[in-house]
Amino acid sequence: MINFQTSPEQYKHWKLSIDGQVARLSMDVQEDETLAEGYKLKLNSYDLGVDIELADAIQRLRFEHPEVRAVVVTSLKPRIFCAGANIYMLGTSSHAFKVNFCKFTNETRCAIEDDSHHSGRCYIAALNGTASGGGYELAIACDEIYLVDDGNSAVSLPEVPLLGVLPGTGGLTRLVDKRKVRRDRADVFSTLAEGLKGKRAKDWGLIDDSFPTSKFQEAVDARVAQVVNLRGDVDASFPSSLWERGQGRGTYRANPSPLVPFPEGGEKNGIKLNPLEAKSTDNGREYKYVSLKLHPEKRYADLTVRGPEANLPTTPDEIQELGDDYWPLRAYRELDDMLLHLRVNEPEIGLICLRTEGAIDDVLAIDKTLAANRDYWLVREIVLHMARVLRRLDLTAKSFFAIIEPGSSFAGNLLELALASDRTYMLNNPEVAQTSVCVSELNAGALPMNNGLTRLQSRFLAEPVKVDEVLAHEGSFDTEAADQAGLVTFSPDDLDWEDEIRVAIEERTSLSPDALTGMEASLRFAGPESMDTKIFGRLTAWQNWIFQRPNAVGPQGALTNYGKPTQAQFDYKRT
Amino acid sequence: MINFQTSPEQYKHWKLSIDGQVARLSMDVQEDETLAEGYKLKLNSYDLGVDIELADAIQRLRFEHPEVRAVVVTSLKPRIFCAGANIYMLGTSSHAFKVNFCKFTNETRCAIEDDSHHSGRCYIAALNGTASGGGYELAIACDEIYLVDDGNSAVSLPEVPLLGVLPGTGGLTRLVDKRKVRRDRADVFSTLAEGLKGKRAKDWGLIDDSFPTSKFQEAVDARVAQVVNLRGDVDASFPSSLWERGQGRGTYRANPSPLVPFPEGGEKNGIKLNPLEAKSTDNGREYKYVSLKLHPEKRYADLTVRGPEANLPTTPDEIQELGDDYWPLRAYRELDDMLLHLRVNEPEIGLICLRTEGAIDDVLAIDKTLAANRDYWLVREIVLHMARVLRRLDLTAKSFFAIIEPGSSFAGNLLELALASDRTYMLNNPEVAQTSVCVSELNAGALPMNNGLTRLQSRFLAEPVKVDEVLAHEGSFDTEAADQAGLVTFSPDDLDWEDEIRVAIEERTSLSPDALTGMEASLRFAGPESMDTKIFGRLTAWQNWIFQRPNAVGPQGALTNYGKPTQAQFDYKRT
């Protein structure tokens, strides 16, 4: 079983050091500390284990070190920054694992950009050696890229020429959409195994600058100081645009990054992210607020999120005091870990029935507190984290049915679970017990999807006025009202309820899992596209296709044959 | 060899009849008239041959029948509109053929929307029986959908539940992006083999209305008359926005279609589209203005487009008189046919070296005439056709290198061939003979890509000001100036020229064809996305992935097992 939890004391491959407002995140991959057998992580190449540490470090910077304003991403190995995903690991992995590996590493790079975009932390890739493949893709997820000029070190995307696959971690998309490299130059660069360095790399926009070895450290330090000082001089509170609709996800800052003001919070101490207590049970997994019950023979699972306790604190100081025990942080960290667990450890579970438990008023009270304190650094980070977890759900290749019954608490932030689901079933049984859902201010823009829309906007593309109607609705919606408002798919009465849910589950789990993955990836993201949706939609879908093709993974395929004396043999038919 | 040319006299599967301003396009598929052996086209199911006729009919309506303002798409078979792509054809086709088949059918449906959007012709799907799968996808490419209410006929997308593949002709994208069906309802509909009918189909936005059998014909006729009369009352010339940038491709009209004014031209007689004279040669193919020279052992081909003769007519009447002999129409029809030929008949050719021949001034004279007469119906149709052909090139899964030498005529509309190429090589040999390229008004917006940008805009995403600089440039660019302006990738001098081209060809054709397809699909479409790019990028990439998966095409796959007594067996691991 793959475990996604870690902490700096346990890191094997990264060193995280903090010096005032500057963090250094240094890669030093231990070649024998692999997640699986059969490969060595040479030349700072990585497997999922390395990326789990990176994702953890970025998350911790945001919560534990809010004072940090610049992050230098570099390597402790001489003459090599990072060689990208380990080829032998890819060559020996199952198709499903490769796909999940790429998805997680993509989410990690998007998390870097999310931090930069929303929390103003500047990521500077200090390439003290060659950055190839995923190594360069890590660099272009950063705001600025500086490459040592030692006559040898280069940036490259050698996947197409050497491996017959794509740079699978957003490289092609970020090349033309983020760094806006001219398409013919991007074509040349992406087919050139040895990559580019020096003046041409800079002229083409692949890096921001290069410095000779003797001056590299000094030049990077000077740039970091510049970033920190200039940003430190600007006194500005967090822009409230996060709470407005259409906050422009995917339209990341230009390059090199403008020196945007830092949000408040730098003067505060961070909070500690303690390990989550996850307990495996006979038929599932238990956290404090999140439960999983597996039905393996039926290939579905019940996932329940329990709402907060009553009367939780409402002031910044009290929230800071509660730290990672505060419900919105703890419950969403648990949900995040559960989603990752389901993806890689429970591949045969194709359908998740999402349930919530608790008092709607207690969820609404949380949302009220979050909205009232939106400018406080910790609240901001908590809400941004909730948004990332919900986007992880949107991108999970499993079907989701929300099941709304008496006692459930699909309100405000938890209503997003229903809006993120492929379908919503709500019991219509007003005589016995009322079933309700409710909106809050958090449904209006704080928790956007990857395409930049809220889930309500995505839902009502045909009738945008319905978004306002729903948000303006006073009090909770009973089943009839929710149905009228367009919030539920089906609302059976108690006579039909159990049968209808049972049949829906049976039907869903009988369908081709591949067709469902492609269908859900298409239906979940209507409307505008962003760099993120292009990466997870277009680029990933093409990569997954290539990962199935004999030219990559067949006995004579390029990925299979990498490093062997035999050469790849292609079927040259163009498809 | 598959031939893409046809004409109404040769149609086997469609009847095209014109009655004043109304055309009827009626499907009546002959089950034994298949393009290949091994299947029968029952129930108005289709193969590529059926779709080649449909594409031809739409094209002819635009050129031969400009007076037509509404097109009724219907069936001559009782109780069945169209059953979609033939499953047995798909089951017995190669992967590459399936992919090319889907691409062509997608382009045909986009051509319907292009006609509707730009030439104001209203397409009305009159479903006199069940429209399933590709049948419903044909309907949602139309502006309005009316379904007979006979207690039985339904609309459906049964691909996921019955075949384990996606509706591959834009269905999922148009469902949520064009008709803006709520995503949970789209989920239900796309997993329901029997589909929906009547009130629910209308309430969910899947159709615009349904009428009882006895009143169906009358109701459709009334709607058609309404469309024709209302539009006929509006006197408006063709909106000039086509010639401006960012004309908003992919943002098709709302549904049901507003009654936009018709452009001028309805009073004119059409021109005849005569058969193209294509001649196969020992090592290629020859048209009047377009030549192909194959190098099969090296897996590349030279494709040359010859520019127009000097002193071609400049007035609408003269152009009308010339008809399909007019260079911009003939040369681009030939190029279109050549691209289709290369796609399906020359799968091993992975690289096309694009060349042009002729006098730059003659190309510029053509563009001047087209721009001056942009409001004349035939000129408008010719330019829209050129734009479609260039988009076909953008979507062709082969590499393109533009080769610019003395005597070439990459100017104006032909410059788009260079801008559409993955790379551009321009000889730098000013002492011996000048090599030039040149822009015209047609590079400014008349020939947009699927993403709504011009090719110059796509090229200069990082520096939009360069678009204006290039467009404002007086006279032609020599090699140095073209390089400075960012119009060429490499400009070797004559000492290096031949070697550099040779090596570039050798390197390109040695790479994995699958990786190149995925790479080019990513790098060619930077910037904004439209419904078209979503269909050709995201949806198609997922479909291609599924078309490779054992759950669809393996011995126990759903597509393989369709219609057999055995049931599909799935590997239920979600990827």
Side-chain angles (χ1 to χ4, degrees), chain A residues 521-538:
Chain A
S522 298
L523 297 182
R524 288 178 186 173
F525 297 97
E529 298 273 322
S530 68
M531 202 166 68
D532 291 5
T533 61
K534 285 172 99 160
I535 289 170
F536 290 108
R538 175 190 292 267

Side-chain angles (χ1 to χ4, degrees), chain A residues 8-28:
Chain A
E9 312 80 66
Q10 299 170 277
Y11 290 175
K12 294 163 183 155
H13 309 294
W14 290 91
K15 303 273 178 297
L16 175 60
S17 65
I18 316 276
D19 181 11
Q21 297 183 317
V22 179
R24 287 183 83 83
L25 197 43
S26 307
M27 198 176 201
D28 189 14

Side-chain angles (χ1 to χ4, degrees), chain A residues 323-335:
Chain A
D324 72 343
D325 239 9
Y326 186 42
W327 180 87
L329 181 51
R330 176 138 186 182
Y332 276 81
R333 282 182 72 208
E334 292 177 354
L335 177 58

Side-chain angles (χ1 to χ4, degrees), chain A residues 177 184 187 489 508 527 534, chain B residues 177 184 187 489 508 527 534:
Chain A
D177 272 312
D184 56 334
D187 180 279
T489 318
R508 188 64 158 209
K534 285 172 99 160
Chain B
D177 273 311
D184 56 334
D187 179 279
T489 318
R508 188 63 158 211
K534 286 172 99 160

Side-chain angles (χ1 to χ4, degrees), chain A residues 305 307-308 327-328 331-332 335 356 362-368 370 386 390 409-419 438-443 447 455:
Chain A
V305 180
W327 180 87
Y332 276 81
L335 177 58
T356 53
D362 295 334
V363 185
L364 294 177
I366 287 281
D367 285 7
K368 200 174 159 194
L370 294 174
M386 294 162 84
L390 289 165
S409 53
F410 284 98
N413 70 78
L414 290 183
L415 179 63
E416 294 290 322
L417 296 178
L419 297 173
C438 198
V439 293
S440 83
E441 202 172 344
L442 264 75
N443 304 115
L447 305 168
R455 289 178 190 78

Side-chain angles (χ1 to χ4, degrees), chain B residues 487-546:
Chain B
L487 293 172
V488 297
T489 318
F490 295 113
S491 50
D493 61 27
D494 55 354
L495 277 178
D496 298 329
W497 177 253
E498 281 193 16
D499 267 0
E500 193 156 329
I501 304 284
R502 184 182 50 76
V503 170
I505 291 172
E506 283 173 10
E507 283 181 357
R508 188 63 158 211
T509 55
S510 72
L511 300 178
S512 159
D514 305 325
L516 287 175
T517 292
M519 184 189 87
E520 290 157 4
S522 298
L523 297 182
R524 288 178 186 173
F525 297 96
E529 299 273 322
S530 68
M531 202 166 67
D532 290 6
T533 61
K534 286 172 99 160
I535 288 170
F536 289 107
R538 175 190 292 267
L539 181 68
T540 297
W542 280 114
Q543 177 76 310
N544 292 358
W545 175 70
I546 293 163

Side-chain angles (χ1 to χ4, degrees), chain A residues 534-548:
Chain A
K534 285 172 99 160
I535 289 170
F536 290 108
R538 175 190 292 267
L539 181 69
T540 297
W542 280 115
Q543 177 77 308
N544 293 357
W545 175 70
I546 293 164
F547 274 163
Q548 286 283 104

Side-chain angles (χ1 to χ4, degrees), chain A residues 342-400:
Chain A
L342 281 165
R343 282 186 188 173
V344 303
N345 298 321
E346 297 292 349
E348 293 224 351
I349 297 296
L351 169 66
I352 313 292
C353 292
L354 279 173
R355 291 186 166 78
T356 53
E357 282 176 13
I360 280 183
D361 285 347
D362 295 334
V363 185
L364 294 177
I366 287 281
D367 285 7
K368 200 174 159 194
T369 299
L370 294 174
N373 297 292
R374 62 177 70 171
D375 291 334
Y376 185 68
W377 80 271
L378 179 55
V379 170
R380 184 185 71 235
E381 288 301 340
I382 287 173
V383 173
L384 288 166
H385 176 255
M386 294 162 84
R388 290 197 297 284
V389 176
L390 289 165
R391 289 199 288 270
R392 180 106 73 195
L393 194 158
D394 292 331
L395 289 170
T396 295
K398 296 185 188 287
S399 302
F400 290 91

